[in-house]
Amino acid sequence: MLEHAKNVAKTNDVMVTRLGYREVATHYGCAYKNDGYRVMEEMAERVPGVTYKESRTLCVDDAMGVGGQHIEITFAHPDLAGWMRAHEANAGGNGGRGL
């Protein structure tokens, strides 16, 4: 998920990426179930530079009753790059669907 967010940030030439519930849930194969919210909350608790926020603008997901939250990933955060390197090393580059 962080690799996806990094690609989004690079494409948009920004240091902060906001990923909505739908994008996270789809990535983890748990679209429209509470699992997507759980993943977002766990990332915010465990990963430096990641925060879980209420969306301030109405979006199509809000109208469908599955929106209202997003995760914000700040790639300028001083600890995030080191955390990502350590996580990738521990994962052994298995190409899985992890954070």
PDB file of all heavy atoms in Angstrom, residues 7-38:
ATOM      1  N   ASN A   7       3.954   5.924  -5.412  1.00  0.00           N
ATOM      2  CA  ASN A   7       3.791   6.131  -6.847  1.00  0.00           C
ATOM      3  C   ASN A   7       2.794   7.261  -7.138  1.00  0.00           C
ATOM      4  O   ASN A   7       3.003   8.055  -8.053  1.00  0.00           O
ATOM      5  CB  ASN A   7       3.341   4.840  -7.536  1.00  0.00           C
ATOM      6  CG  ASN A   7       4.426   3.796  -7.549  1.00  0.00           C
ATOM      7  OD1 ASN A   7       5.607   4.104  -7.453  1.00  0.00           O
ATOM      8  ND2 ASN A   7       4.035   2.534  -7.645  1.00  0.00           N
ATOM      9  N   VAL A   8       1.717   7.318  -6.352  1.00  0.00           N
ATOM     10  CA  VAL A   8       0.731   8.394  -6.512  1.00  0.00           C
ATOM     11  C   VAL A   8       1.389   9.742  -6.222  1.00  0.00           C
ATOM     12  O   VAL A   8       1.210  10.713  -6.964  1.00  0.00           O
ATOM     13  CB  VAL A   8      -0.494   8.172  -5.594  1.00  0.00           C
ATOM     14  CG1 VAL A   8      -1.400   9.393  -5.576  1.00  0.00           C
ATOM     15  CG2 VAL A   8      -1.270   6.941  -6.040  1.00  0.00           C
ATOM     16  N   ALA A   9       2.178   9.799  -5.151  1.00  0.00           N
ATOM     17  CA  ALA A   9       2.862  11.044  -4.792  1.00  0.00           C
ATOM     18  C   ALA A   9       3.826  11.473  -5.901  1.00  0.00           C
ATOM     19  O   ALA A   9       3.890  12.652  -6.261  1.00  0.00           O
ATOM     20  CB  ALA A   9       3.609  10.868  -3.465  1.00  0.00           C
ATOM     21  N   LYS A  10       4.559  10.505  -6.435  1.00  0.00           N
ATOM     22  CA  LYS A  10       5.528  10.821  -7.498  1.00  0.00           C
ATOM     23  C   LYS A  10       4.809  11.314  -8.751  1.00  0.00           C
ATOM     24  O   LYS A  10       5.218  12.299  -9.371  1.00  0.00           O
ATOM     25  CB  LYS A  10       6.354   9.581  -7.813  1.00  0.00           C
ATOM     26  CG  LYS A  10       7.468   9.825  -8.795  1.00  0.00           C
ATOM     27  CD  LYS A  10       8.304   8.580  -8.987  1.00  0.00           C
ATOM     28  CE  LYS A  10       9.441   8.840  -9.967  1.00  0.00           C
ATOM     29  NZ  LYS A  10      10.227   7.628 -10.189  1.00  0.00           N
ATOM     30  N   THR A  11       3.727  10.644  -9.118  1.00  0.00           N
ATOM     31  CA  THR A  11       2.953  11.034 -10.298  1.00  0.00           C
ATOM     32  C   THR A  11       2.420  12.455 -10.165  1.00  0.00           C
ATOM     33  O   THR A  11       2.438  13.235 -11.118  1.00  0.00           O
ATOM     34  CB  THR A  11       1.784  10.056 -10.518  1.00  0.00           C
ATOM     35  OG1 THR A  11       2.325   8.753 -10.734  1.00  0.00           O
ATOM     36  CG2 THR A  11       0.931  10.453 -11.705  1.00  0.00           C
ATOM     37  N   ASN A  12       1.946  12.793  -8.963  1.00  0.00           N
ATOM     38  CA  ASN A  12       1.360  14.110  -8.732  1.00  0.00           C
ATOM     39  C   ASN A  12       2.389  15.146  -8.284  1.00  0.00           C
ATOM     40  O   ASN A  12       2.029  16.300  -8.043  1.00  0.00           O
ATOM     41  CB  ASN A  12       0.238  14.007  -7.695  1.00  0.00           C
ATOM     42  CG  ASN A  12      -0.910  13.162  -8.197  1.00  0.00           C
ATOM     43  OD1 ASN A  12      -1.223  13.169  -9.381  1.00  0.00           O
ATOM     44  ND2 ASN A  12      -1.526  12.414  -7.301  1.00  0.00           N
ATOM     45  N   ASP A  13       3.660  14.723  -8.148  1.00  0.00           N
ATOM     46  CA  ASP A  13       4.752  15.595  -7.718  1.00  0.00           C
ATOM     47  C   ASP A  13       4.426  16.301  -6.403  1.00  0.00           C
ATOM     48  O   ASP A  13       4.510  17.518  -6.278  1.00  0.00           O
ATOM     49  CB  ASP A  13       5.085  16.608  -8.811  1.00  0.00           C
ATOM     50  CG  ASP A  13       6.430  17.285  -8.567  1.00  0.00           C
ATOM     51  OD1 ASP A  13       7.291  16.667  -7.907  1.00  0.00           O
ATOM     52  OD2 ASP A  13       6.614  18.435  -9.016  1.00  0.00           O
ATOM     53  N   VAL A  14       4.009  15.486  -5.420  1.00  0.00           N
ATOM     54  CA  VAL A  14       3.685  15.999  -4.090  1.00  0.00           C
ATOM     55  C   VAL A  14       4.378  15.124  -3.039  1.00  0.00           C
ATOM     56  O   VAL A  14       4.828  14.027  -3.334  1.00  0.00           O
ATOM     57  CB  VAL A  14       2.157  16.007  -3.834  1.00  0.00           C
ATOM     58  CG1 VAL A  14       1.461  17.003  -4.747  1.00  0.00           C
ATOM     59  CG2 VAL A  14       1.562  14.624  -3.996  1.00  0.00           C
ATOM     60  N   MET A  15       4.455  15.631  -1.822  1.00  0.00           N
ATOM     61  CA  MET A  15       5.054  14.868  -0.723  1.00  0.00           C
ATOM     62  C   MET A  15       4.000  14.269   0.203  1.00  0.00           C
ATOM     63  O   MET A  15       4.324  13.532   1.117  1.00  0.00           O
ATOM     64  CB  MET A  15       6.004  15.757   0.088  1.00  0.00           C
ATOM     65  CG  MET A  15       7.236  16.173  -0.683  1.00  0.00           C
ATOM     66  SD  MET A  15       8.218  14.771  -1.280  1.00  0.00           S
ATOM     67  CE  MET A  15       8.859  14.119   0.236  1.00  0.00           C
ATOM     68  N   VAL A  16       2.735  14.601  -0.024  1.00  0.00           N
ATOM     69  CA  VAL A  16       1.642  14.076   0.798  1.00  0.00           C
ATOM     70  C   VAL A  16       0.636  13.410  -0.131  1.00  0.00           C
ATOM     71  O   VAL A  16       0.230  13.990  -1.128  1.00  0.00           O
ATOM     72  CB  VAL A  16       0.943  15.194   1.601  1.00  0.00           C
ATOM     73  CG1 VAL A  16      -0.253  14.641   2.358  1.00  0.00           C
ATOM     74  CG2 VAL A  16       1.922  15.856   2.550  1.00  0.00           C
ATOM     75  N   THR A  17       0.288  12.181   0.191  1.00  0.00           N
ATOM     76  CA  THR A  17      -0.705  11.451  -0.590  1.00  0.00           C
ATOM     77  C   THR A  17      -1.894  11.145   0.301  1.00  0.00           C
ATOM     78  O   THR A  17      -1.723  10.713   1.440  1.00  0.00           O
ATOM     79  CB  THR A  17      -0.126  10.119  -1.113  1.00  0.00           C
ATOM     80  OG1 THR A  17       1.031  10.395  -1.888  1.00  0.00           O
ATOM     81  CG2 THR A  17      -1.128   9.375  -1.955  1.00  0.00           C
ATOM     82  N   ARG A  18      -3.090  11.348  -0.220  1.00  0.00           N
ATOM     83  CA  ARG A  18      -4.308  10.990   0.502  1.00  0.00           C
ATOM     84  C   ARG A  18      -4.958   9.831  -0.234  1.00  0.00           C
ATOM     85  O   ARG A  18      -5.233   9.934  -1.421  1.00  0.00           O
ATOM     86  CB  ARG A  18      -5.254  12.184   0.567  1.00  0.00           C
ATOM     87  CG  ARG A  18      -4.741  13.274   1.453  1.00  0.00           C
ATOM     88  CD  ARG A  18      -5.622  14.520   1.408  1.00  0.00           C
ATOM     89  NE  ARG A  18      -5.027  15.581   2.196  1.00  0.00           N
ATOM     90  CZ  ARG A  18      -4.149  16.450   1.729  1.00  0.00           C
ATOM     91  NH1 ARG A  18      -3.766  16.391   0.480  1.00  0.00           N
ATOM     92  NH2 ARG A  18      -3.644  17.382   2.507  1.00  0.00           N
ATOM     93  N   LEU A  19      -5.182   8.741   0.477  1.00  0.00           N
ATOM     94  CA  LEU A  19      -5.832   7.575  -0.101  1.00  0.00           C
ATOM     95  C   LEU A  19      -7.167   7.379   0.604  1.00  0.00           C
ATOM     96  O   LEU A  19      -7.223   7.323   1.836  1.00  0.00           O
ATOM     97  CB  LEU A  19      -4.978   6.324   0.077  1.00  0.00           C
ATOM     98  CG  LEU A  19      -3.590   6.353  -0.559  1.00  0.00           C
ATOM     99  CD1 LEU A  19      -2.871   5.037  -0.266  1.00  0.00           C
ATOM    100  CD2 LEU A  19      -3.668   6.582  -2.060  1.00  0.00           C
ATOM    101  N   GLY A  20      -8.217   7.268  -0.166  1.00  0.00           N
ATOM    102  CA  GLY A  20      -9.546   7.097   0.393  1.00  0.00           C
ATOM    103  C   GLY A  20      -9.819   5.648   0.751  1.00  0.00           C
ATOM    104  O   GLY A  20      -9.096   4.726   0.371  1.00  0.00           O
ATOM    105  N   TYR A  21     -10.923   5.464   1.475  1.00  0.00           N
ATOM    106  CA  TYR A  21     -11.314   4.132   1.913  1.00  0.00           C
ATOM    107  C   TYR A  21     -11.434   3.173   0.730  1.00  0.00           C
ATOM    108  O   TYR A  21     -10.953   2.052   0.783  1.00  0.00           O
ATOM    109  CB  TYR A  21     -12.652   4.201   2.665  1.00  0.00           C
ATOM    110  CG  TYR A  21     -13.280   2.847   2.820  1.00  0.00           C
ATOM    111  CD1 TYR A  21     -12.794   1.964   3.774  1.00  0.00           C
ATOM    112  CD2 TYR A  21     -14.304   2.429   1.982  1.00  0.00           C
ATOM    113  CE1 TYR A  21     -13.334   0.704   3.905  1.00  0.00           C
ATOM    114  CE2 TYR A  21     -14.853   1.175   2.111  1.00  0.00           C
ATOM    115  CZ  TYR A  21     -14.367   0.318   3.073  1.00  0.00           C
ATOM    116  OH  TYR A  21     -14.888  -0.918   3.189  1.00  0.00           O
ATOM    117  N   ARG A  22     -12.068   3.606  -0.333  1.00  0.00           N
ATOM    118  CA  ARG A  22     -12.306   2.715  -1.472  1.00  0.00           C
ATOM    119  C   ARG A  22     -10.982   2.215  -2.055  1.00  0.00           C
ATOM    120  O   ARG A  22     -10.839   1.043  -2.362  1.00  0.00           O
ATOM    121  CB  ARG A  22     -13.111   3.435  -2.549  1.00  0.00           C
ATOM    122  CG  ARG A  22     -13.393   2.546  -3.747  1.00  0.00           C
ATOM    123  CD  ARG A  22     -14.099   3.294  -4.835  1.00  0.00           C
ATOM    124  NE  ARG A  22     -15.416   3.699  -4.394  1.00  0.00           N
ATOM    125  CZ  ARG A  22     -16.455   3.829  -5.190  1.00  0.00           C
ATOM    126  NH1 ARG A  22     -16.331   3.610  -6.473  1.00  0.00           N
ATOM    127  NH2 ARG A  22     -17.614   4.196  -4.723  1.00  0.00           N
ATOM    128  N   GLU A  23     -10.021   3.112  -2.205  1.00  0.00           N
ATOM    129  CA  GLU A  23      -8.730   2.737  -2.775  1.00  0.00           C
ATOM    130  C   GLU A  23      -8.004   1.724  -1.893  1.00  0.00           C
ATOM    131  O   GLU A  23      -7.450   0.736  -2.372  1.00  0.00           O
ATOM    132  CB  GLU A  23      -7.880   4.004  -2.946  1.00  0.00           C
ATOM    133  CG  GLU A  23      -6.681   3.841  -3.818  1.00  0.00           C
ATOM    134  CD  GLU A  23      -6.074   5.172  -4.214  1.00  0.00           C
ATOM    135  OE1 GLU A  23      -6.522   6.229  -3.730  1.00  0.00           O
ATOM    136  OE2 GLU A  23      -5.131   5.137  -5.016  1.00  0.00           O
ATOM    137  N   VAL A  24      -8.020   1.942  -0.587  1.00  0.00           N
ATOM    138  CA  VAL A  24      -7.363   1.018   0.342  1.00  0.00           C
ATOM    139  C   VAL A  24      -8.082  -0.325   0.366  1.00  0.00           C
ATOM    140  O   VAL A  24      -7.460  -1.386   0.276  1.00  0.00           O
ATOM    141  CB  VAL A  24      -7.303   1.628   1.764  1.00  0.00           C
ATOM    142  CG1 VAL A  24      -6.766   0.614   2.764  1.00  0.00           C
ATOM    143  CG2 VAL A  24      -6.443   2.888   1.760  1.00  0.00           C
ATOM    144  N   ALA A  25      -9.407  -0.275   0.474  1.00  0.00           N
ATOM    145  CA  ALA A  25     -10.180  -1.516   0.556  1.00  0.00           C
ATOM    146  C   ALA A  25     -10.029  -2.348  -0.709  1.00  0.00           C
ATOM    147  O   ALA A  25      -9.881  -3.574  -0.653  1.00  0.00           O
ATOM    148  CB  ALA A  25     -11.648  -1.193   0.809  1.00  0.00           C
ATOM    149  N   THR A  26     -10.023  -1.698  -1.867  1.00  0.00           N
ATOM    150  CA  THR A  26      -9.863  -2.412  -3.129  1.00  0.00           C
ATOM    151  C   THR A  26      -8.478  -3.047  -3.211  1.00  0.00           C
ATOM    152  O   THR A  26      -8.329  -4.193  -3.630  1.00  0.00           O
ATOM    153  CB  THR A  26     -10.103  -1.468  -4.319  1.00  0.00           C
ATOM    154  OG1 THR A  26     -11.426  -0.953  -4.224  1.00  0.00           O
ATOM    155  CG2 THR A  26      -9.934  -2.184  -5.637  1.00  0.00           C
ATOM    156  N   HIS A  27      -7.469  -2.315  -2.767  1.00  0.00           N
ATOM    157  CA  HIS A  27      -6.096  -2.831  -2.795  1.00  0.00           C
ATOM    158  C   HIS A  27      -5.982  -4.119  -1.982  1.00  0.00           C
ATOM    159  O   HIS A  27      -5.304  -5.053  -2.373  1.00  0.00           O
ATOM    160  CB  HIS A  27      -5.131  -1.780  -2.243  1.00  0.00           C
ATOM    161  CG  HIS A  27      -3.710  -2.217  -2.198  1.00  0.00           C
ATOM    162  ND1 HIS A  27      -2.890  -2.174  -3.301  1.00  0.00           N
ATOM    163  CD2 HIS A  27      -2.955  -2.721  -1.198  1.00  0.00           C
ATOM    164  CE1 HIS A  27      -1.686  -2.636  -2.969  1.00  0.00           C
ATOM    165  NE2 HIS A  27      -1.708  -2.968  -1.701  1.00  0.00           N
ATOM    166  N   TYR A  28      -6.666  -4.156  -0.842  1.00  0.00           N
ATOM    167  CA  TYR A  28      -6.585  -5.326   0.032  1.00  0.00           C
ATOM    168  C   TYR A  28      -7.687  -6.348  -0.227  1.00  0.00           C
ATOM    169  O   TYR A  28      -7.833  -7.309   0.511  1.00  0.00           O
ATOM    170  CB  TYR A  28      -6.593  -4.887   1.501  1.00  0.00           C
ATOM    171  CG  TYR A  28      -5.262  -4.305   1.914  1.00  0.00           C
ATOM    172  CD1 TYR A  28      -5.063  -2.934   1.970  1.00  0.00           C
ATOM    173  CD2 TYR A  28      -4.181  -5.138   2.188  1.00  0.00           C
ATOM    174  CE1 TYR A  28      -3.833  -2.398   2.315  1.00  0.00           C
ATOM    175  CE2 TYR A  28      -2.954  -4.618   2.531  1.00  0.00           C
ATOM    176  CZ  TYR A  28      -2.783  -3.248   2.590  1.00  0.00           C
ATOM    177  OH  TYR A  28      -1.566  -2.730   2.912  1.00  0.00           O
ATOM    178  N   GLY A  29      -8.472  -6.133  -1.266  1.00  0.00           N
ATOM    179  CA  GLY A  29      -9.517  -7.094  -1.612  1.00  0.00           C
ATOM    180  C   GLY A  29     -10.637  -7.155  -0.599  1.00  0.00           C
ATOM    181  O   GLY A  29     -11.266  -8.201  -0.420  1.00  0.00           O
ATOM    182  N   CYS A  30     -10.912  -6.051   0.083  1.00  0.00           N
ATOM    183  CA  CYS A  30     -11.960  -6.060   1.098  1.00  0.00           C
ATOM    184  C   CYS A  30     -12.916  -4.891   0.867  1.00  0.00           C
ATOM    185  O   CYS A  30     -13.361  -4.245   1.796  1.00  0.00           O
ATOM    186  CB  CYS A  30     -11.365  -6.007   2.503  1.00  0.00           C
ATOM    187  SG  CYS A  30     -10.262  -4.613   2.809  1.00  0.00           S
ATOM    188  N   ALA A  31     -13.203  -4.610  -0.409  1.00  0.00           N
ATOM    189  CA  ALA A  31     -14.044  -3.468  -0.739  1.00  0.00           C
ATOM    190  C   ALA A  31     -15.390  -3.549  -0.036  1.00  0.00           C
ATOM    191  O   ALA A  31     -16.029  -4.594  -0.001  1.00  0.00           O
ATOM    192  CB  ALA A  31     -14.244  -3.391  -2.247  1.00  0.00           C
ATOM    193  N   TYR A  32     -15.788  -2.421   0.523  1.00  0.00           N
ATOM    194  CA  TYR A  32     -17.087  -2.239   1.161  1.00  0.00           C
ATOM    195  C   TYR A  32     -17.312  -3.135   2.373  1.00  0.00           C
ATOM    196  O   TYR A  32     -18.425  -3.484   2.699  1.00  0.00           O
ATOM    197  CB  TYR A  32     -18.212  -2.394   0.131  1.00  0.00           C
ATOM    198  CG  TYR A  32     -17.940  -1.532  -1.071  1.00  0.00           C
ATOM    199  CD1 TYR A  32     -17.644  -2.088  -2.294  1.00  0.00           C
ATOM    200  CD2 TYR A  32     -17.911  -0.152  -0.935  1.00  0.00           C
ATOM    201  CE1 TYR A  32     -17.348  -1.284  -3.390  1.00  0.00           C
ATOM    202  CE2 TYR A  32     -17.609   0.654  -2.026  1.00  0.00           C
ATOM    203  CZ  TYR A  32     -17.335   0.084  -3.237  1.00  0.00           C
ATOM    204  OH  TYR A  32     -17.029   0.874  -4.300  1.00  0.00           O
ATOM    205  N   LYS A  33     -16.237  -3.507   3.033  1.00  0.00           N
ATOM    206  CA  LYS A  33     -16.334  -4.202   4.318  1.00  0.00           C
ATOM    207  C   LYS A  33     -15.543  -3.381   5.327  1.00  0.00           C
ATOM    208  O   LYS A  33     -14.704  -2.572   4.967  1.00  0.00           O
ATOM    209  CB  LYS A  33     -15.735  -5.616   4.226  1.00  0.00           C
ATOM    210  CG  LYS A  33     -16.480  -6.528   3.261  1.00  0.00           C
ATOM    211  CD  LYS A  33     -15.821  -7.887   3.238  1.00  0.00           C
ATOM    212  CE  LYS A  33     -16.496  -8.797   2.230  1.00  0.00           C
ATOM    213  NZ  LYS A  33     -15.793 -10.055   2.068  1.00  0.00           N
ATOM    214  N   ASN A  34     -15.772  -3.602   6.591  1.00  0.00           N
ATOM    215  CA  ASN A  34     -15.059  -2.848   7.618  1.00  0.00           C
ATOM    216  C   ASN A  34     -13.562  -3.134   7.628  1.00  0.00           C
ATOM    217  O   ASN A  34     -12.798  -2.406   8.235  1.00  0.00           O
ATOM    218  CB  ASN A  34     -15.657  -3.134   9.001  1.00  0.00           C
ATOM    219  CG  ASN A  34     -16.993  -2.451   9.177  1.00  0.00           C
ATOM    220  OD1 ASN A  34     -17.286  -1.470   8.504  1.00  0.00           O
ATOM    221  ND2 ASN A  34     -17.808  -2.971  10.064  1.00  0.00           N
ATOM    222  N   ASP A  35     -13.131  -4.186   6.948  1.00  0.00           N
ATOM    223  CA  ASP A  35     -11.699  -4.504   6.906  1.00  0.00           C
ATOM    224  C   ASP A  35     -10.888  -3.340   6.348  1.00  0.00           C
ATOM    225  O   ASP A  35      -9.755  -3.123   6.753  1.00  0.00           O
ATOM    226  CB  ASP A  35     -11.449  -5.752   6.045  1.00  0.00           C
ATOM    227  CG  ASP A  35     -11.935  -7.020   6.710  1.00  0.00           C
ATOM    228  OD1 ASP A  35     -12.300  -6.963   7.896  1.00  0.00           O
ATOM    229  OD2 ASP A  35     -11.950  -8.062   6.044  1.00  0.00           O
ATOM    230  N   GLY A  36     -11.448  -2.612   5.412  1.00  0.00           N
ATOM    231  CA  GLY A  36     -10.730  -1.470   4.840  1.00  0.00           C
ATOM    232  C   GLY A  36     -10.462  -0.405   5.881  1.00  0.00           C
ATOM    233  O   GLY A  36      -9.381   0.173   5.936  1.00  0.00           O
ATOM    234  N   TYR A  37     -11.445  -0.145   6.741  1.00  0.00           N
ATOM    235  CA  TYR A  37     -11.247   0.824   7.816  1.00  0.00           C
ATOM    236  C   TYR A  37     -10.212   0.321   8.819  1.00  0.00           C
ATOM    237  O   TYR A  37      -9.385   1.076   9.312  1.00  0.00           O
ATOM    238  CB  TYR A  37     -12.573   1.105   8.532  1.00  0.00           C
ATOM    239  CG  TYR A  37     -13.561   1.857   7.679  1.00  0.00           C
ATOM    240  CD1 TYR A  37     -14.764   1.277   7.320  1.00  0.00           C
ATOM    241  CD2 TYR A  37     -13.279   3.142   7.220  1.00  0.00           C
ATOM    242  CE1 TYR A  37     -15.677   1.960   6.532  1.00  0.00           C
ATOM    243  CE2 TYR A  37     -14.186   3.835   6.434  1.00  0.00           C
ATOM    244  CZ  TYR A  37     -15.384   3.238   6.093  1.00  0.00           C
ATOM    245  OH  TYR A  37     -16.279   3.910   5.310  1.00  0.00           O
ATOM    246  N   ARG A  38     -10.256  -0.974   9.120  1.00  0.00           N
ATOM    247  CA  ARG A  38      -9.294  -1.547  10.064  1.00  0.00           C
ATOM    248  C   ARG A  38      -7.872  -1.381   9.545  1.00  0.00           C
ATOM    249  O   ARG A  38      -6.963  -1.004  10.292  1.00  0.00           O
ATOM    250  CB  ARG A  38      -9.602  -3.033  10.296  1.00  0.00           C
ATOM    251  CG  ARG A  38      -8.659  -3.707  11.280  1.00  0.00           C
ATOM    252  CD  ARG A  38      -8.932  -5.197  11.393  1.00  0.00           C
ATOM    253  NE  ARG A  38      -9.001  -5.882  10.116  1.00  0.00           N
ATOM    254  CZ  ARG A  38      -7.929  -6.216   9.384  1.00  0.00           C
ATOM    255  NH1 ARG A  38      -6.726  -5.912   9.802  1.00  0.00           N
ATOM    256  NH2 ARG A  38      -8.080  -6.849   8.241  1.00  0.00           N
TER     257      ARG A  38
END
